[in-house]
Every structure is written in structure tokens, then in C-alpha cells.
């Protein structure tokens, strides 16, 4: 129920404002972009990796006035917000899909082990460690797809 409420709120929002500074990767910007919502985030930490400035949202100096200006620009230009939302969804599917994750993880394992049977063993161990995160992301994507 709480997860469905979270997805419903994202579905009704114009955008998501994500203010933590020096945050780790953070799943909230990715979930927001997958929900076709632009992200206004601090220009540090994880959002530097996940948000594409001026394409999927805005990366801002962590100052209230800067966040307010970015938010105002989306409120005043809802078509721009919608375009950023669409770009965000495409960005997530391109950069953070399970296929992309699998290809990147396989490459890391192959680079570290030199290929062969050791690569498969490394990948299995990595998948098991990351499985809870992947399952949560997959579940979220299923719920959001039902709401859109």
C-alpha cells in the first residue's frame, strides 16, 4: 500500500525536488525519471551520475534560491517539464535497465577475472549481493507501469 501511494504521488507530481548533498547514488532520482518526472537535484554525489542536466532535470547549487528558480522554470513551462520527463524515462531505460546492468557487471567481472569460468562465478556472487536492490527496482517499475 505504501509503495502504491508513493507511485501515485509520483504520477501526480510535476517534478521531484531531491535536495540531499553528497548523497550516494540514491534511487529516488532514478525512480522519478522512470516515472517521467524531471528531477531537480543538488549538483553533488549520486545525482551527478544519474541526472542529465538540462535534459532530464536540473543539477543545482545547494541553495534555496537556485532550487526555487529551477522549480519555477518547470512550473512556468509545463511542456518543458513533460519533455524532460520523457527524456528521463528514456535515460533510465538506457542507462539503468537490467540489460545494461548485466552488461556492465559482466564487463567488470571479466576485467577483474580475465574471463572464462571465473567470470561466471564472479557474476553469480555479484548478482546475489545486488539481488534485493534489483528486485525492489523491478517491483517499482511494475507498479509505475500500472499507474501510467
Amino acid at each position: 500500500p505504501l509503495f502504491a501511494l508513493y507511485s501515485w504521488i509520483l504520477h501526480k507530481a510535476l517534478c521531484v525536488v531531491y535536495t540531499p548533498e553528497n548523497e550516494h547514488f540514491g534511487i529516488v532520482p532514478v525512480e522519478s525519471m522512470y516515472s517521467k518526472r524531471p528531477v531537480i537535484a543538488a549538483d553533488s554525489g549520486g545525482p551527478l551520475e544519474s541526472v542529465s542536466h538540462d535534459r532530464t532535470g536540473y543539477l543545482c547549487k545547494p541553495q534555496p534560491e537556485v532550487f526555487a528558480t529551477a522549480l519555477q522554470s518547470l512550473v512556468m513551462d509545463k511542456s518543458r517539464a513533460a519533455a524532460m520527463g520523457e527524456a528521463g524515462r528514456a535515460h533510465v531505460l538506457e542507462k539503468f535497465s537490467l540489460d545494461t546492468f548485466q552488461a556492465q557487471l559482466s564487463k567488470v567481472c571479466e576485467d577483474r577475472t580475465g574471463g572464462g569460468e571465473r567470470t561466471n562465478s564472479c557474476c553469480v556472487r555479484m548478482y546475489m549481493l545486488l539481488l534485493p536492490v534489483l528486485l525492489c527496482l523491478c517491483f517499482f517499475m511494475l507498479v509505475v507501469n500500472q499507474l501510467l
Side-chain angles (χ1 to χ4, degrees):
L2 187 59
F3 204 70
L5 176 63
Y6 174 68
S7 298
W8 181 82
I9 290 169
L10 272 177
H11 179 68
K12 296 295 182 183
L14 173 70
C15 66
V16 171
V17 178
Y18 187 72
T19 61
E21 292 180 61
N22 297 314
E23 183 75 1
H24 56 82
F25 177 76
I27 197 74
V28 171
V30 175
E31 291 172 342
S32 302
M33 290 183 292
Y34 185 80
S35 298
K36 299 182 180 179
R37 299 300 172 257
V39 176
I40 300 171
D43 63 352
S44 64
L48 291 172
E49 194 175 330
S50 59
V51 178
S52 178
H53 180 71
D54 219 20
R55 186 173 146 249
T56 66
Y58 296 113
L59 294 168
C60 302
K61 295 286 178 220
Q63 301 165 346
E65 307 81 33
V66 179
F67 274 92
T69 299
L71 183 57
Q72 181 181 22
S73 75
L74 294 178
V75 169
M76 300 301 287
D77 189 353
K78 289 185 176 59
S79 64
R80 175 82 172 131
M84 284 182 151
E86 291 294 332
R89 175 72 171 259
H91 180 70
V92 168
L93 293 174
E94 176 188 338
K95 300 287 184 186
F96 303 106
S97 72
L98 293 178
D99 288 339
T100 300
F101 175 79
Q102 179 182 6
Q104 291 173 345
L105 181 60
S106 294
K107 180 166 178 9
V108 167
C109 288
E110 190 171 301
D111 289 349
R112 298 289 184 258
T113 62
E117 195 61 36
R118 290 181 63 204
T119 298
N120 293 337
S121 175
C122 173
C123 283
V124 168
R125 287 194 307 272
M126 294 285 279
Y127 280 125
M128 295 308 289
L129 288 171
L130 297 170
L131 188 60
V133 173
L134 293 173
L135 288 175
C136 287
L137 186 57
C138 288
F139 180 72
F140 175 82
M141 289 177 172
L142 287 172
V143 170
V144 168
N145 282 334
Q146 290 180 1
L147 293 174
L148 294 179

